[in-house]
Structure formats: C-alpha cells, structure tokens
C-alpha cells in the first residue's frame, strides 16, 4: 500500500485551541494538498473504524465530511463503544480480512 505522510496535522502542530477539527482543516493550507496526494496515490484500501462514543468521533465526522465533499473513496465502520480494546480487536479482524485476501 502507498503511504503518504499527513504532515503537521498528525503531529498536532496545527491544532487550534477550542476549534473544531473542521475549522482546523479549513485553517491548514496544506491539508487539502495532503489529502489530494493521499488519494491521488490510488490506495487500494483506505479503511477507518470508529466507536460512537470515541473521544475522536467528532473529528472523524469532520474528516469524513471533508473527504466526502471531495469525492474521496474510503471504507468506514462504526461500532458501539469508544476507544477501547474490544473495538480494536473487532477492527483488526475486519481489516486483516481485507488486506490478506
């Protein structure tokens, strides 16, 4: 699979105190370019899993809304619960089946 760095966003350098992730996306001049590069590399699979009560849930909603507005293709699974081991095990099982076909 192709790997494209997510730049400063993944390092937290562009976080704006109290701002939503959607606002941070809009405020980062590199974000659109990084996303275009990521999806322009034509990954065979871009997969995300998220629990409905995960502390990162709203950020993922904002990210998916942006990617959907750009027409980027990815797979997303949403489960009950939060950022917990039970969900990680579920996601690992689902994801492993896709990459080891």
């Amino acid at each position: 699979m192709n790997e494209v760095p997510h730049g400063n966003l993944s390092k937290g350098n562009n976080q704006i105190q109290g701002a939503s992730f959607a606002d941070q996306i809009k405020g980062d001049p590199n974000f659109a370019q990084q996303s275009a590069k990521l999806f322009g590399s034509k990954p065979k699979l871009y997969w995300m899993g998220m629990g409905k009560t995960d502390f990162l849930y709203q950020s993922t909603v904002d990210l998916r809304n942006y990617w959907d507005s750009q027409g980027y293709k990815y797979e997303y699974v949403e489960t009950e619960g939060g950022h917990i081991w039970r969900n990680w095990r579920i996601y690992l099982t689902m994801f492993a089946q896709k990459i080891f076909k």
Side-chain angles (χ1 to χ4, degrees):
M1 288 190 193
N2 296 325
E3 189 174 319
V4 178
H6 293 275
N8 292 335
L9 277 180
S10 65
K11 297 175 187 168
N13 295 340
N14 289 355
Q15 291 183 355
I16 302 165
Q17 189 70 15
S20 71
F21 190 63
D23 289 336
Q24 292 178 43
I25 289 170
K26 292 175 191 168
D28 183 348
N30 297 314
F31 185 82
Q33 181 182 2
Q34 291 170 346
S35 290
K37 185 175 180 181
L38 170 68
F39 288 99
S41 70
K42 306 277 189 232
K44 292 180 184 176
L45 175 66
Y46 197 97
W47 193 94
M48 293 186 294
M50 180 67 58
K52 292 178 184 177
T53 59
D54 193 308
F55 69 96
L56 295 170
Y57 183 81
Q58 187 57 51
S59 294
T60 302
V61 169
D62 295 342
L63 178 63
R64 291 177 53 230
N65 285 340
Y66 174 78
W67 283 348
D68 290 346
S69 75
Q70 300 301 308
Y72 296 141
K73 303 294 181 205
Y74 58 91
E75 290 187 29
Y76 175 75
V77 174
E78 191 170 281
T79 59
E80 297 299 325
H83 202 87
I84 57 176
W85 281 112
R86 181 183 67 81
N87 282 348
W88 280 87
R89 287 190 298 267
I90 291 168
Y91 304 150
L92 179 58
T93 301
M94 296 171 82
F95 183 68
Q97 291 176 24
K98 292 183 175 291
I99 63 171
F100 293 113
K101 283 185 174 181

